[in-house]
Amino acid sequence: MKKHLFILTILFFSAVSVMKAQEKGMVFIKEGSFVPLYGAVSKNPVTVNSFYIDIYPITNSEFLEFVKKNPSYQKSKIKGIFADKSYLSYWPTDFDFGNAKPKSPVTSVSWFAAKKYCECQGKRLATMDEWEYVAMADTKKIDARTKKEFNEYILSWYEKSKTYENEIGKTFKNYWGVYDMHGLVWEWTSDFNSIFLSGESRKDKSTDKNLFCGSGSVNASDLMDYAAFMRYAFRGSLKAQYSTRNLGFRCASTTKPKI
């Protein structure tokens, strides 16, 4: 009897370890190309080099560990230039995410905080093209954007409220093995606002101004793709210090992450 209990205990803790490893894991995204909704002068495809991306968005419990180690990003200490007053607004204190679930995605974090979190993990935020490339996959196809049911699923999520309260991993697992690209929260990208350019910055698309101020949309290639258009429009409304309740993030990496 004791032997059986010992074996069951070992199996239980092994399963827990696997679950934790999966929560923090990344998957490899093979190089490919696609035509994005925005960003191309013509309908020529853009190439996405191979990279790695988190399986899940970053959770409340994971971000809590981050702020414990990085005091300047705690709710009461972060500078206004790096986050607005909504930063971690649903957290009662610096080290308490209140009624939110530990495995629900952390939200109300600014671009600066998301970027810093990823850097502390030896990673980075995904580019907009990388994120869209992964997000266009359903469970079986790399590019499911022409499938009516896929777009209907995305659009139906836009109509739902408080999905950020759900735990990670409850949506479908896509072709690449990634969860929650749709159906949970919006996500920051490294160049989230690079397609919305001011009059001055159109002459120089590489300037950092593109990340912080937006105006007119440029180079739309397919306005009929309403599901994607909503994402681009949302990104275009953001500034780097904004923190909204339905906006979270996940990390990416150019090279294989260290275990």
Side-chain angles (χ1 to χ4, degrees):
M1 183 67 179
K2 289 183 178 180
K3 182 178 180 180
H4 290 310
L5 287 173
F6 176 76
I7 294 174
L8 288 172
T9 301
I10 294 296
L11 290 173
F12 171 77
F13 283 107
S14 296
V16 170
S17 297
V18 169
M19 289 175 66
K20 288 183 177 180
Q22 288 177 336
E23 182 176 337
K24 296 183 179 180
M26 305 187 86
V27 292
F28 177 72
I29 308 299
K30 187 178 179 181
E31 178 181 329
S33 62
F34 76 112
V35 178
L37 177 63
Y38 280 98
V41 175
S42 65
K43 290 191 176 182
N44 294 326
V46 297
T47 298
V48 176
N49 295 324
S50 59
F51 70 105
Y52 295 82
I53 195 167
D54 285 350
I55 297 173
Y56 305 105
I58 303 306
T59 64
N60 286 307
S61 60
E62 289 172 327
F63 202 75
L64 175 59
E65 293 305 310
F66 163 73
V67 297
K68 286 180 178 178
K69 297 176 182 177
N70 297 272
S72 62
Y73 285 86
Q74 291 169 11
K75 178 180 179 178
S76 66
K77 297 178 181 178
I78 193 165
K79 294 181 179 179
I81 192 174
F82 296 129
D84 62 15
K85 293 181 179 180
S86 296
Y87 181 73
L88 296 178
S89 57
Y90 64 100
W91 288 35
T93 67
D94 287 345
F95 305 123
D96 177 17
F97 42 78
N99 296 324
K101 299 174 183 176
K103 288 191 176 182
S104 291
V106 66
T107 61
S108 297
V109 292
S110 67
W111 177 84
F112 291 107
K115 180 174 179 287
K116 181 64 175 180
Y117 177 97
C118 293
E119 290 173 349
C120 287
Q121 313 305 313
K123 303 177 185 179
R124 59 175 174 79
L125 287 171
T127 66
M128 184 164 54
D129 284 342
E130 288 173 338
W131 196 97
E132 289 292 330
Y133 181 66
V134 176
M136 71 185 188
D138 66 0
T139 57
K140 296 180 179 180
K141 292 184 64 177
I142 292 178
D143 188 354
R145 291 177 297 172
T146 59
K147 294 175 67 173
K148 181 179 178 181
E149 59 271 27
F150 182 61
N151 285 294
E152 286 179 345
Y153 170 82
I154 297 172
L155 292 172
S156 68
W157 163 48
Y158 293 165
E159 297 175 353
K160 296 176 182 177
S161 63
K162 298 184 178 181
T163 55
Y164 49 76
E165 294 180 349
N166 299 333
E167 293 185 338
I168 59 170
K170 303 299 182 182
T171 65
F172 68 91
K173 178 182 180 181
N174 77 6
Y175 174 90
W176 300 106
V178 180
Y179 289 83
D180 305 323
M181 298 299 282
H182 307 289
L184 192 60
V185 291
W186 304 90
E187 296 184 17
W188 284 110
T189 61
S190 61
D191 53 347
F192 68 94
N193 209 4
S194 59
I195 57 165
F196 291 89
L197 311 177
S198 66
E200 293 76 22
S201 61
R202 284 176 185 167
K203 296 178 182 179
D204 184 4
K205 295 182 180 180
S206 66
T207 61
D208 289 340
K209 291 180 181 178
N210 300 342
L211 295 176
F212 310 121
C213 59
S215 55
S217 60
V218 180
N219 299 328
S221 61
D222 185 8
L223 289 175
M224 295 302 292
D225 188 351
Y226 187 66
F229 175 76
M230 290 293 288
R231 292 195 297 276
Y232 283 90
F234 177 72
R235 292 185 185 116
S237 70
L238 298 172
K239 291 185 179 180
Q241 68 269 35
Y242 282 8
S243 307
T244 68
R245 189 64 175 93
N246 59 349
L247 178 61
F249 71 100
R250 73 180 74 213
C251 304
S253 178
T254 305
T255 59
K256 187 175 182 179
K258 296 179 180 180
I259 300 175

